[in-house]
Amino acid sequence: MATGSQKKQPRRRSTRQRRAILNVLRQTKSHPTADWVYEQVKQEIPNISLGTVYRNLKLLRDLGEIMEISFGSAQSHFDGNPNPHYHFHCLDCNRILDVDIPVRHELEQEVRDHHGWEVHRHRVEFYGRCDKCSRQREE
Ligand code: ZN
Ligand code: MN
């Protein structure tokens, strides 16, 4: 698309940007930060700004297209898979891995029964050492 026509079609431009960001996230299992997404999207859309990437990530999260994972540390990570699932954070290599066990919705009922609170959702995060890092320590 030429620069001139982009100015006349801001909606089409933002749709293209948002789709590119979503594609980057759908094609990786690495749960990247916004900075990493920005570096990837820039290869397709060189004039995109980091601010635009941030804004679209938040928008995609609000639309339920992606998930934002925050470990209470400085930077959020993003997940192209919006379906509920747990994550494991390796404290050695810092990778965030998908945990392939079912989400325990019964925990919400348990809290409800115990406290009488209305529970909407829950979050569980696992921390430790991944299989790869464990093997490396044994060598
Ligand atoms: Zn590891
Ligand atoms: Mn995930």
Side-chain angles (χ1 to χ4, degrees):
M1 206 187 290
T3 311
S5 66
Q6 270 184 9
K7 274 183 185 147
K8 283 173 202 157
Q9 298 171 334
R11 196 146 42 101
R12 185 169 297 179
R13 180 187 172 190
S14 64
T15 301
R16 185 187 165 217
Q17 289 171 334
R18 196 152 62 244
R19 201 183 309 120
I21 290 165
L22 189 57
N23 281 343
V24 163
L25 276 176
R26 290 270 153 90
Q27 283 163 21
T28 181
K29 291 197 137 211
S30 68
H31 308 94
T33 62
D35 288 334
W36 189 90
V37 173
Y38 169 61
E39 292 302 327
Q40 301 301 307
V41 176
K42 237 170 44 175
Q43 292 170 20
E44 191 188 329
I45 308 171
N47 62 351
I48 198 164
S49 72
L50 182 58
T52 298
V53 171
Y54 267 111
R55 220 170 335 102
N56 278 290
L57 284 170
K58 301 287 178 190
L59 185 68
L60 286 165
R61 177 203 60 195
D62 292 345
L63 291 169
E65 295 281 338
I66 65 170
M67 222 198 301
E68 180 173 4
I69 316 165
S70 154
F71 282 92
S73 54
Q75 282 209 74
S76 284
H77 292 260
F78 294 90
D79 192 337
N81 174 11
N83 302 315
H85 60 283
Y86 297 136
H87 291 106
F88 176 87
H89 192 157
C90 175
L91 298 171
D92 280 10
C93 67
N94 274 323
R95 284 190 305 159
I96 297 167
L97 304 167
D98 287 331
V99 174
D100 294 326
I101 64 168
V103 168
R104 298 291 205 271
H105 290 293
E106 63 269 25
L107 285 174
E108 295 166 13
Q109 188 62 47
E110 205 177 319
V111 172
R112 209 174 287 135
D113 291 347
H114 191 83
H115 289 283
W117 298 332
E118 182 186 317
V119 180
H120 295 166
R121 59 190 174 89
H122 77 276
R123 242 174 74 171
V124 173
E125 276 143 18
F126 299 91
Y127 298 86
R129 185 177 296 131
C130 73
D131 50 338
K132 224 167 101 181
C133 289
S134 290
R135 272 199 306 275
Q136 255 168 28
R137 280 169 77 100
E138 285 162 16
E139 277 164 16

